[in-house]
């Protein structure tokens, strides 16, 4: 990306890989963010699937987590008794994916929080 400075000479602005990835995936990220605001977590996760940006990866993983939690609450029986023991295999899948990225130090603070 080039711009003219005050002296009239053109300079090249070198952006690091983080910003270049974000610029390339800008539309997908904001589409996912819009789906997230509408509580369409599955759609948010799918719209940023395969993105290289860490923010998009966080939205993908957190969207998958929230979609599963929402699905679990929707399918829960409405009773006043003790809650049934629910097996959540989806959480195990998310944990293994995050553990692999953590082992090779590819996670940022948000994904580590997850």
């Amino acid at each position: 990306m080039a711009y003219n400075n005050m002296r009239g000479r053109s300079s090249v602005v070198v952006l690091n890989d983080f910003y270049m990835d974000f610029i390339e995936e800008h539309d997908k990220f904001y589409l996912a963010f819009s789906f997230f605001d509408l509580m369409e977590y599955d759609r948010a996760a799918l719209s940023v699937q395969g993105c290289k940006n860490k923010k998009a990866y966080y939205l993908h993983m957190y969207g998958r987590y929230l979609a599963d939690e929402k699905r679990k609450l929707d399918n829960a029986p409405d009773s006043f008794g003790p809650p049934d023991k629910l097996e959540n295999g989806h959480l195990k899948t998310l944990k293994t994916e995050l553990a692999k990225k953590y082992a090779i130090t590819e996670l940022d603070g948000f994904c580590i929080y997850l």
Side-chain angles (χ1 to χ4, degrees):
M1 182 183 301
Y3 72 96
N4 291 326
N5 60 14
M6 289 200 220
R7 296 182 185 161
R9 290 181 269 163
S10 69
S11 303
V12 176
V13 177
V14 179
L15 300 174
N16 62 18
D17 291 338
F18 174 78
Y19 293 112
M20 288 304 291
D21 287 342
F22 185 71
I23 289 170
E24 291 173 1
E25 299 166 348
H26 181 268
D27 295 335
K28 289 181 182 180
F29 177 78
Y30 281 106
L31 177 66
F33 202 78
S34 298
F35 283 140
F36 207 84
D37 286 341
L38 295 171
M39 291 188 229
E40 293 285 336
Y41 304 120
D42 282 325
R43 290 182 185 188
L46 286 175
S47 63
V48 288
Q49 188 174 12
C51 289
K52 298 175 189 175
N53 184 291
K54 291 183 180 185
K55 288 182 181 180
Y57 182 72
Y58 171 74
L59 269 183
H60 173 72
M61 296 302 282
Y62 195 50
R64 285 175 54 190
Y65 167 74
L66 287 177
D68 189 53
E69 289 296 311
K70 184 178 176 182
R71 200 174 304 111
K72 184 172 68 172
L73 288 174
D74 289 343
N75 295 336
D78 295 331
S79 66
F80 291 108
D84 294 336
K85 187 174 183 179
L86 295 173
E87 288 295 323
N88 200 346
H90 190 71
L91 283 179
K92 293 175 186 175
T93 306
L94 290 176
K95 181 185 173 192
T96 55
E97 286 182 38
L98 287 170
K100 287 177 187 176
K101 293 253 186 186
Y102 182 75
I104 56 176
T105 64
E106 285 188 4
L107 297 180
D108 62 345
F110 291 108
C111 288
I112 291 173
Y113 173 76
L114 259 178

